[in-house]
Amino acid sequence: MELFGLYHYWTFAVLLMIGFYAVIAKSNLVKKLIGLYIFQSAVFLLYITMDKVDGGTAPIIQDGVTGQVFSNPIPQVLILTAIVVGISTTALGLAIVIRIKEAYGTIEEHEVREMDHRVA
Amino acid sequence: MSLAGHLPILQVVVPLLIAPLVVFLRPRGLAWAAAATASLLAFLIAVTLTGQILRSGPVTYMLGSWPVPYGIELHVSPFSALILLIVTGASTVALFAGRRSINMEVNNDRQPLFYSAWLLALSGMAGITVAGDAFNIFVFMEIASLSGYMLIAAGPDRRALPAVFKYLLMGTIGATFYLIGVGLIYMMTGTLNLADMEARIHGVGELKPILVAAGFITVGLALKAAVFPLHVWLPNSYTYAPHMVTVFLAACSTKVSIFVLLRFDFLVFQQNLVAHDIQFATVFIPLAILAILIPSVSAMFESNLKRLLAYSSVAQIGYIMLGAALVSVTGLTAGIVTMFNHALAKGALFLAVACLGTHFLQLRIENIRGAARHMPWTMAAFVLAGLSLIGVPGTAGFISKWYLILAALQEGSLGIVLVAVVLISSLMAVVYIWRVVEAAYFGIEKEGLQPAGEAPLALLAVTWITVLANLYFGFFPSLPLTLSTEAATALLEHLR
């Protein structure tokens, strides 16, 4: 029971490893980047799940209402920033992939490596 | 509060605000001038801050006057001051030296963007150094890394692109690991402020998540710092980046990550996890020994000048980690002073290589044969900087090796092995520096490859200033030593 009560951590761990596997195992550079983004998104989920407080509501202070339980807003704020970082990273990565395609004519990692070996 | 009170934030904000302006400066001389001025300003701020700290101790700055731990705190310790000097100094030196070199390697219409990315990298690294908040460190780290990728990708050789792609993947994985670690700590303590974190972990009952966090943070940052065997992104990135970018990044980017690593492992975890100092030592002493020996061997057989020096950088990171892993005041002092001295030596070496690069398109040892006859000043600078890298008395490099050996000798029989490792790797450094010197001084020139003359004057002058700094800090090492000793003492202060 305890095992599945923590299902959000399992989601985090499984997603993290799916992303990591793609980064390592895929040869296509775009697939690597997709893996990288899944990897980062898993961490976003870790942060988002930790701000949940049982019975908590949106953290807005209202006149005349007391004794409310609030969810923690800080992890959401943090992860908003981290999402921006993730998008920038992916965008820059894709830009580099476009330039690799222009320079080498391929986006397969092993073909790029072979072409470099032939030159060197 | 006077302007002097705002220096910690100005350190970050000055280059950050000038960066977007540089994009609009179309005549490229202007973009360069703006970037160089911003960098010089940042350097002067760092010098002033260092002066303040030497006089009156660490500086704390509360953003928007919000009290700690609710507000964001900037904290400039002697350790930060030393790193700030390295970062801003390297950037300023490279910009002032490198106008001609950058003109040769980066397209005219891309130059404003290039200089803008440069300033972003500078402000990111300065931000990591002054931040007192774990999440701010992450954001600044990503600013520095993303702009760093852009700078490296500006290299003229197409092989820069796969190299930078690999760096991007590994750098992002490192940063994400760091983020996981910070998340786990936040979960257990509810704070992001480093000092507050340290205090609150005392009250945490279940330490397992903190231990996992320590693992994630240490591995993530070691990846960013290119600690062996996580260094594979480094050699090609440094090799194919524009020469001036190599000067800038080789001098400081990995050191900034080591700075964060040491702060976490010593200030946050060391007091709170059982036997964390022993864990730290057992992980990093073997890795440091391998880091010192294996890349040195690679460097001995490498024929590309820049990759040779890049492998040597990985070995030097090994020295830094070895000093730190001894977990003693002398060891940490040695490690930290090595950061400073290595930045000086490697900066000067890469500058000398950039001088060669103004005449040789392919920087391979067999191509630069006989270069010393045409470029005597360049090669003399290379020799002196090389001596500093090897650690010959009278140069800055000697000071770090001396302290490292002193620290190793305090460790008993293990120390003897460590001293042997340091000596062997110094001999290997002699070998790989000598290979370059031999080719340049005694080699027979290749037909059609003779350079027309010396490197541009500005580049050569700055190279020599850096070389003379190597000699100066070899004879008068009190500034970096004072800062390093204070930093080491502060890192070990709370150790039970």
Side-chain angles (χ1 to χ4, degrees):
Chain A
M1 189 55 228
E2 173 75 346
L3 202 63
F4 296 104
L6 297 173
Y7 68 91
H8 48 278
Y9 292 129
W10 284 107
T11 317
F12 155 69
V14 170
L15 276 179
L16 193 77
M17 285 305 118
I18 290 174
F20 202 32
Y21 172 80
V23 173
I24 293 171
K26 293 293 168 188
S27 174
N28 185 305
L29 298 182
V30 174
K31 287 184 184 166
K32 272 183 189 288
L33 277 179
I34 294 173
L36 193 69
Y37 202 74
I38 296 174
F39 183 77
Q40 290 177 299
S41 306
V43 182
F44 303 162
L45 288 179
L46 173 74
Y47 273 74
I48 296 296
T49 54
M50 81 170 85
D51 70 355
K52 170 77 179 149
V53 176
D54 271 344
T57 175
I60 303 165
I61 296 173
Q62 286 170 291
D63 284 339
V65 184
T66 50
Q68 272 188 318
V69 179
F70 293 132
S71 285
N72 184 354
I74 292 178
Q76 304 200 6
V77 179
L78 298 180
I79 239 44
L80 206 59
T81 316
I83 288 173
V84 175
V85 170
I87 290 172
S88 323
T89 311
T90 313
L92 183 61
L94 287 172
I96 294 171
V97 172
I98 291 173
R99 283 191 54 198
I100 289 180
K101 171 77 179 170
E102 285 170 359
Y104 289 86
T106 174
I107 55 166
E108 294 292 325
E109 193 190 28
H110 59 96
E111 291 176 13
V112 171
R113 205 180 302 143
E114 273 169 30
M115 290 166 82
D116 277 346
H117 275 300
R118 232 175 291 146
V119 177
Chain B
M1 202 188 279
S2 70
L3 191 64
H6 292 291
L7 285 181
I9 189 66
L10 285 175
Q11 182 77 72
V12 184
V13 165
V14 166
L16 193 65
L17 286 185
I18 299 181
L21 299 180
V22 169
V23 179
F24 299 106
L25 296 175
R26 276 302 147 188
R28 61 195 155 94
L30 269 183
W32 172 80
T37 314
S39 178
L40 185 65
L41 266 176
F43 181 62
L44 293 178
I45 292 174
V47 171
T48 321
L49 266 175
T50 312
Q52 275 184 21
I53 286 161
L54 284 175
R55 272 195 309 278
S56 50
V59 178
T60 301
Y61 180 87
M62 281 168 274
L63 270 185
S65 302
W66 287 91
V68 173
Y70 306 105
I72 288 168
E73 180 199 13
L74 301 183
H75 185 78
V76 192
S77 61
F79 196 1
S80 335
L82 189 78
I83 304 286
L84 279 178
L85 286 179
I86 298 175
V87 170
T88 54
S91 158
T92 311
V93 161
L95 280 176
F96 273 92
R99 190 164 165 219
R100 285 275 294 279
S101 174
I102 291 170
N103 280 347
M104 284 172 67
E105 290 186 298
V106 182
N107 270 350
N108 287 347
D109 51 333
R110 293 220 181 109
Q111 278 193 15
L113 291 169
F114 176 84
Y115 287 121
S116 177
W118 186 297
L119 288 181
L120 287 175
L122 174 64
S123 74
M125 282 192 253
I128 299 170
T129 324
V130 297
D133 174 296
F135 199 79
N136 279 23
I137 292 178
F138 168 74
V139 175
F140 281 128
M141 201 150 72
E142 285 309 86
I143 293 177
S145 306
L146 288 171
S147 39
Y149 307 144
M150 284 161 69
L151 292 178
I152 294 172
D157 192 313
R158 70 173 181 177
R159 281 172 287 183
L161 298 169
V164 86
F165 192 80
K166 189 192 247 178
Y167 183 15
L168 181 134
L169 290 181
M170 297 189 71
T172 308
I173 289 171
T176 311
F177 268 31
Y178 172 81
L179 195 60
I180 296 172
V182 171
L184 290 171
I185 299 179
Y186 182 76
M187 222 184 256
M188 301 308 287
T189 62
T191 185
L192 290 167
N193 182 297
L194 288 185
D196 196 34
M197 222 177 233
E198 192 265 314
R200 287 206 199 182
I201 296 177
H202 281 305
V204 172
E206 175 61 58
L207 280 177
K208 213 167 258 172
I210 306 287
L211 186 65
V212 176
F216 271 114
I217 290 178
T218 310
V219 173
L221 290 171
L223 190 55
K224 287 232 160 211
V227 175
F228 186 89
L230 304 171
H231 69 283
V232 289
W233 56 266
L234 186 143
N236 273 355
S237 300
Y238 283 11
T239 308
Y240 300 118
H243 300 315
M244 284 306 136
V245 174
T246 315
V247 172
F248 178 32
L249 294 184
C252 55
S253 74
T254 53
K255 273 132 208 144
V256 171
S257 302
I258 298 181
F259 165 77
V260 182
L261 179 83
L262 293 185
R263 257 172 60 169
F264 261 96
D265 271 307
F266 282 87
L267 292 180
V268 180
F269 299 131
Q270 201 73 272
Q271 289 83 289
N272 294 307
L273 294 173
V274 180
H276 187 64
D277 49 341
I278 298 173
Q279 289 169 352
F280 187 78
T282 41
V283 171
F284 279 111
I285 288 181
L287 285 186
I289 293 175
L290 292 176
I292 293 170
L293 294 177
I294 297 175
S296 297
V297 173
S298 307
M300 289 199 308
F301 293 99
E302 181 56 53
S303 62
N304 183 310
L305 274 182
K306 283 174 88 180
R307 198 181 284 121
L308 183 154
L309 293 177
Y311 276 123
S312 143
S313 280
V314 181
Q316 296 281 332
I317 293 162
Y319 287 130
I320 298 171
M321 290 316 292
L322 181 65
L326 294 175
V327 198
S328 66
V329 174
T330 331
L332 272 168
T333 308
I336 295 167
V337 86
T338 305
M339 290 189 194
F340 184 83
N341 292 337
H342 171 243
L344 279 178
K346 199 47 69 66
L349 280 168
F350 272 122
L351 279 168
V353 168
C355 290
L356 289 171
T358 53
H359 290 298
F360 296 97
L361 286 179
Q362 294 281 323
L363 283 167
R364 305 180 69 82
I365 288 184
E366 62 267 23
N367 290 355
I368 62 149
R369 277 187 208 142
R373 259 159 255 150
H374 303 278
M375 308 173 80
W377 286 96
T378 302
M379 282 318 296
F382 188 93
V383 171
L384 285 176
L387 290 179
S388 178
L389 185 75
I390 294 162
V392 173
T395 61
F398 174 69
I399 307 294
S400 15
K401 294 254 163 88
W402 176 251
Y403 270 81
L404 198 57
I405 288 174
L406 278 187
L409 286 177
Q410 290 172 356
E411 303 296 313
S413 53
L414 171 70
I416 307 293
V417 179
L418 298 181
V419 171
V421 168
V422 171
L423 291 182
I424 290 171
S425 82
S426 299
L427 289 177
M428 290 200 270
V430 174
V431 173
Y432 56 72
I433 294 294
W434 173 252
R435 285 178 61 217
V436 180
V437 173
E438 185 190 23
Y441 278 93
F442 308 111
I444 296 156
E445 295 160 41
K446 267 194 178 175
E447 277 306 306
L449 275 174
Q450 292 92 337
E454 267 296 353
L457 190 64
L459 183 54
L460 201 60
V462 175
T463 310
W464 269 94
I465 290 173
T466 335
V467 168
L468 293 178
N470 270 295
L471 299 179
Y472 176 82
F473 286 112
F475 286 107
F476 308 100
S478 73
L479 172 75
L481 269 181
T482 315
L483 289 173
S484 311
T485 316
E486 278 181 32
T489 322
L491 285 178
L492 289 170
E493 202 169 23
H494 304 289
L495 191 64
R496 288 200 204 101

